[in-house]
């Protein structure tokens, strides 16, 4: 078993406040797994600097100069969390047998890495880290998350409820994932589409160790919209059904007015115009979102640009 290389991919954006603690705890786990003869001594912790504006990259450089287990790649600018994860996996897959993605904020239970590695040796290609409670969330966030998973399921999207981006993937699973080239990445929806032999490990999510969350409500809403519009055309169908209902309602109202000879006042007319105008704007926005995704995809622009790749340099020397 000791010849299997594990790379832990950690996307980082302005994580200077947590990086020292995160690196120390992850190194302890890597060292322990090597000692248990479960992974190769060539296993690495790969930090992906996603255009941080603070001292994140300086800390990564310092860490990798002190310990060979630490490596890093630096993106030329901020490309977003999902693209940073893909950037790390695109490099790690060259040299690794298994890869774990985890955020730097220490909210995910890193002790579950032991169980994930064990599941890999049991024959599982994908091991999902799944929250078993939402006690650390606000009531609003908990309610909206539950509603979102329910909505996605009703729309036919195959999601793992309460799973974010904490997972283990085998080499062949990551190679399959890299075959997906869409511009608007939603890994939580793509990974379940891969198939392969999968399982779950459950954990209690913790409070952020330090600093502030980089996923405010605006970004969460954007990710939710990306998830819906990337995997289903249900909103387009909803527009069709809404249009049919409006035609039936309008036709019925005309017949009713003809029968009763009742003329509505101008206020009813204005309210109807506001209602119709609002519905039209919403439907145009939904259609525009889909058109915009097509526009971005057909340009075939790179999802990320790597400016500095210490990880590959080090792994080449090993190989």
């Amino acid at each position: 078993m000791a010849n299997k290389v594990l790379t832990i991919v950690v996307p980082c954006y302005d994580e200077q406040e947590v990086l020292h603690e995160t690196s120390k705890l992850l190194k302890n786990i890597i060292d322990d797994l090597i000692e248990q003869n479960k992974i190769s001594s060539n296993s690495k912790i790969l930090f992906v600097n996603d255009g941080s504006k603070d001292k994140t990259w300086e800390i990564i450089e310092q860490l990798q100069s002190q310990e060979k287990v630490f490596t890093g790649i630096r993106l030329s600018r901020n490309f977003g969390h999902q693209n940073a994860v893909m950037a790390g996996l695109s490099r790690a897959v060259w040299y690794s047998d298994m890869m774990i993605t985890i955020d730097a904020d220490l909210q995910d239970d890193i002790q579950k890495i032991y169980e994930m590695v064990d599941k890999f040796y049991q024959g599982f290609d994908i091991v999902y880290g799944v929250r078993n409670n939402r006690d650390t969330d606000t009531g609003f966030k908990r309610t909206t998350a539950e509603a979102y998973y329910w909505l996605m399921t009703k729309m036919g999207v195959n999601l793992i409820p309460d799973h974010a981006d904490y997972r283990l993937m085998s080499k062949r699973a990551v190679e399959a994932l890299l075959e997906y080239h869409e511009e608007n990445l939603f890994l939580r929806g793509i990974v379940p589409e891969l198939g392969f032999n999968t399982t779950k490990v459950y954990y209690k999510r913790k409070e952020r160790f330090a600093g502030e969350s980089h996923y405010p409500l605006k970004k969460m809403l954007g990710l939710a919209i990306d998830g819906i519009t990337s995997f289903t055309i249900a909103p387009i169908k909803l527009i069709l059904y809404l249009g049919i209902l409006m035609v039936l309602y309008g036709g019925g109202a005309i017949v009713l007015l003809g029968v009763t000879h009742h003329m509505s006042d101008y206020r009813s007319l204005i309210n109807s115009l506001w209602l119709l105008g609002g519905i039209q704007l919403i439907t145009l926005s939904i259609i525009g979102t889909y058109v915009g995704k097509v526009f971005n995809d057909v340009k075939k622009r790179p999802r990320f640009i790597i400016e500095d790749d210490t990880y590959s340099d080090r792994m080449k020397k090993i190989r």
Side-chain angles (χ1 to χ4, degrees), residues 174-205:
V174 173
E175 287 174 340
L177 175 63
L178 293 174
E179 292 296 319
Y180 286 72
H181 300 292
E182 54 252 54
E183 177 75 17
N184 299 280
L185 280 174
F186 185 65
L187 295 177
R188 302 176 196 186
I190 294 175
V191 175
E193 294 288 318
L194 300 178
F196 297 112
N197 200 12
T198 67
T199 189
K200 305 172 186 175
V201 298
Y202 294 90
Y203 68 97
K204 182 177 180 180
R205 190 167 170 85

Side-chain angles (χ1 to χ4, degrees), residues 254-262:
I254 291 173
V255 172
L256 181 63
L257 289 174
V259 172
T260 60
H261 304 286
H262 176 70

